Amino acid sequence: MKQIENGIFISHAKNVANILERFEMKKNKLASTPTITGLKKGYFGSNVNLTLYKSMIGSLVYFIATRRDIMYVVSLVLRFTETPKETHWQASKRILRYANGTKQYGILYTATSGFRLVGYTDSYWEGSVDDRRSTSRYVFHLGYGAISWASMK
């Protein structure tokens, strides 16, 4: 958290660096997007270390507090914490590579006189390839900073 002239800026830049070091990914190539477009994450591929996968997913869930741009893709890999496969591990690593390239991102809460509550919603009715359930999302802003957001299956 950093107080600046016109408000407060919250980010996890330092934590991203610590997590990349913990998973030995500091020198990995950066990713321009948090996931590959159109990638279906089904139950296929070889098994991965469950403890290591859960640790990485826990780290990613922690970032959601200030990084709503990764919320949806983190929710995708979070669904496979009981039986993670190599595809889920690679998808999680890509999210971390994206977070490394965008670690300066965060939320700015500005001191303005005219606060306005604005909400956005979206639904993905096609559902996942695994269970055909739909996904709904929302975000609410008070002024220019997000105050609440979610992605629900």
Side-chain angles (χ1 to χ4, degrees), residues 11 18-19 23 29 31 44 60-61 83 93 104 115 143 150 153:
S11 76
N18 291 341
I19 290 169
F23 291 106
K29 184 173 73 169
F44 53 89
L60 291 171
V61 168
T83 55
K93 286 175 63 175
Q104 73 279 7
F115 276 120
K153 192 170 187 179

Side-chain angles (χ1 to χ4, degrees), residues 3 6 19 53 80:
Q3 189 161 355
N6 61 342
I19 290 169
Y53 183 77
F80 301 98

Side-chain angles (χ1 to χ4, degrees), residues 41-50 53 57 77 79-93:
K41 294 169 184 63
Y43 294 97
F44 53 89
S46 59
N47 292 330
V48 296
N49 182 322
L50 185 61
Y53 183 77
I57 297 302
V77 294
R79 296 173 188 169
F80 301 98
T81 52
E82 294 305 315
T83 55
K85 303 294 183 186
E86 185 64 29
T87 55
H88 310 124
W89 177 249
Q90 293 303 324
S92 302
K93 286 175 63 175

Side-chain angles (χ1 to χ4, degrees), residues 58-78:
S59 300
L60 291 171
V61 168
Y62 179 71
F63 291 142
I64 292 174
T66 59
R67 297 290 304 273
R68 63 179 186 249
D69 58 327
I70 64 170
M71 182 179 62
Y72 178 71
V73 292
V74 170
S75 74
L76 288 178
V77 294
L78 185 62

Side-chain angles (χ1 to χ4, degrees), residues 19 24-25 37 54 57 60 74 90 105 131 133 144:
I19 290 169
E24 299 174 0
M25 293 181 58
T37 306
K54 285 185 176 186
I57 297 302
L60 291 171
V74 170
Q90 293 303 324
Y105 288 10
D131 60 12
R133 292 178 61 198
Y144 294 108

Side-chain angles (χ1 to χ4, degrees), residues 104-115:
Q104 73 279 7
Y105 288 10
I107 298 177
L108 174 64
Y109 293 99
T110 58
T112 61
S113 60
F115 276 120

Side-chain angles (χ1 to χ4, degrees), residues 5-46:
E5 184 179 319
N6 61 342
I8 296 173
F9 181 73
I10 301 172
S11 76
H12 282 116
K14 184 178 178 184
N15 294 334
V16 169
N18 291 341
I19 290 169
L20 288 167
E21 187 174 324
R22 185 171 77 193
F23 291 106
E24 299 174 0
M25 293 181 58
K26 281 187 104 170
K27 296 181 181 180
N28 283 25
K29 184 173 73 169
L30 302 179
S32 59
T33 60
T35 189
I36 298 170
T37 306
L39 179 65
K40 303 293 183 188
K41 294 169 184 63
Y43 294 97
F44 53 89
S46 59

